[in-house]
Amino acid sequence: MAFDYKKEYKDFYLPAKHPHIITIPPMNYLAVRGHGDPNTENGEYKQSIELLYAIAFTIKMSKKTDHRIEGYFDYVVPPLEGFWWQDALAEQQDDREAAIIDYNKKDQFNFISVIRLPDFVTKADFDWAIQTATQKKRDFSRVEFLPYDEGDCVQCMHIGSYDDEPGTVAAMLSYATEQGYELDIKNPRYHHEIYLSDPRRCQADKLRTVIRHPIKPRKYS
């Protein structure tokens, strides 16, 4: 049976519906950066998803090619994730503010769309996948190999529409503060979402999204 990261790492992908503190280890990702409203048809965000999955499945199906990845085992491609920020808010954010993202200004979103890579995938394997996929006459130059060390975070499972996330975010901030932490959202630590539901096939009020925010010990004056 294929290794499923969601089932094997439930603390990361299937967390509780209430805020809690967690430490995330370093991971490698496929990544595509972009800007703009994620709902725009044929916009940068939707293009980024297509690019990511093309490379993710090129790596997964390497077992059927002459390219041999040391330590390879069959696996389910991990879920789509995203790091999000808005430049205007990033300059004025502090640990008391719950408005990490202004959902009414989606056109101002910056994002890094990502899919986790298995630990056995090296930069050389990534380069092979880009070269292989490019042979099909498509440009994959936007796709990056991204090492990311997220560290200490507060996270929560959000059930419902993406536009209803501010309530969950506020609860996360309150909990982190009670536990002696403050938000540490600044480059390169961002508002992080993991998408466990396909919005094309799931009602908005039943969408499952892991929301994760980086934190640090709170400073008291």
Side-chain angles (χ1 to χ4, degrees):
M1 180 166 302
F3 186 92
D4 190 333
Y5 284 84
K6 296 191 300 297
K7 295 179 180 179
E8 299 297 331
Y9 295 98
K10 292 182 179 180
D11 288 348
F12 300 160
Y13 299 104
L14 298 171
K17 298 177 185 178
H18 54 77
H20 54 281
I21 306 299
I22 188 169
T23 300
I24 308 298
M27 301 178 190
N28 294 327
Y29 294 89
L30 296 172
V32 177
R33 301 171 190 266
H35 177 83
D37 188 336
N39 298 315
T40 300
E41 195 64 33
N42 297 320
E44 287 191 32
Y45 180 69
K46 293 185 178 181
Q47 291 175 23
S48 75
I49 295 174
E50 294 176 4
L51 294 171
L52 286 178
Y53 276 107
I55 300 302
F57 277 98
T58 298
I59 293 172
K60 173 179 168 61
M61 301 311 295
S62 64
K63 61 185 179 181
K64 294 188 176 182
T65 72
D66 293 335
H67 183 79
R68 293 291 178 261
I69 299 179
E70 184 176 354
Y72 180 97
F73 54 78
D74 196 19
Y75 63 97
V76 177
V77 172
L80 177 70
E81 310 181 34
F83 301 111
W84 298 88
W85 73 98
Q86 291 163 318
D87 292 330
L89 283 180
E91 296 299 325
Q92 57 184 317
Q93 202 61 244
D94 67 37
D95 62 294
R96 296 182 298 278
E97 294 183 90
I100 306 303
I101 295 290
D102 186 342
Y103 292 79
N104 295 315
K105 298 180 179 179
K106 295 183 176 66
D107 61 317
Q108 297 181 12
F109 280 161
N110 299 300
F111 63 83
I112 309 174
S113 294
V114 299
I115 294 178
R116 180 181 179 177
L117 286 169
D119 292 341
F120 56 72
V121 177
T122 66
K123 178 61 164 56
D125 297 319
F126 165 82
D127 291 340
W128 167 85
I130 294 294
Q131 182 180 19
T132 299
T134 301
Q135 292 174 358
K136 298 179 180 179
K137 309 301 181 183
R138 185 167 184 183
D139 182 10
F140 289 94
S141 60
R142 291 179 60 198
V143 185
E144 305 172 31
F145 181 89
L146 178 67
Y148 195 77
D149 187 358
E150 198 160 17
D152 293 337
C153 296
V154 57
Q155 73 174 12
C156 185
M157 177 72 80
H158 171 74
I159 307 295
S161 168
Y162 303 130
D163 288 339
D164 292 336
E165 289 182 3
T168 299
V169 168
M172 291 167 55
L173 173 60
S174 178
Y175 177 80
T177 302
E178 292 172 358
Q179 299 302 309
Y181 292 92
E182 61 185 16
L183 294 183
D184 191 28
I185 295 183
K186 58 185 177 181
N187 185 10
R189 308 186 80 198
Y190 303 112
H191 172 97
H192 185 179
E193 300 183 356
I194 304 175
Y195 307 107
L196 303 177
S197 305
D198 186 339
R200 298 170 299 178
R201 298 178 175 85
C202 182
Q203 294 179 352
D205 61 349
K206 296 181 179 179
L207 291 170
R208 295 186 304 158
T209 307
V210 180
I211 302 178
R212 189 180 292 160
H213 282 169
I215 55 174
K216 61 183 179 181
R218 187 176 181 86
K219 294 182 179 179
Y220 296 92
S221 55

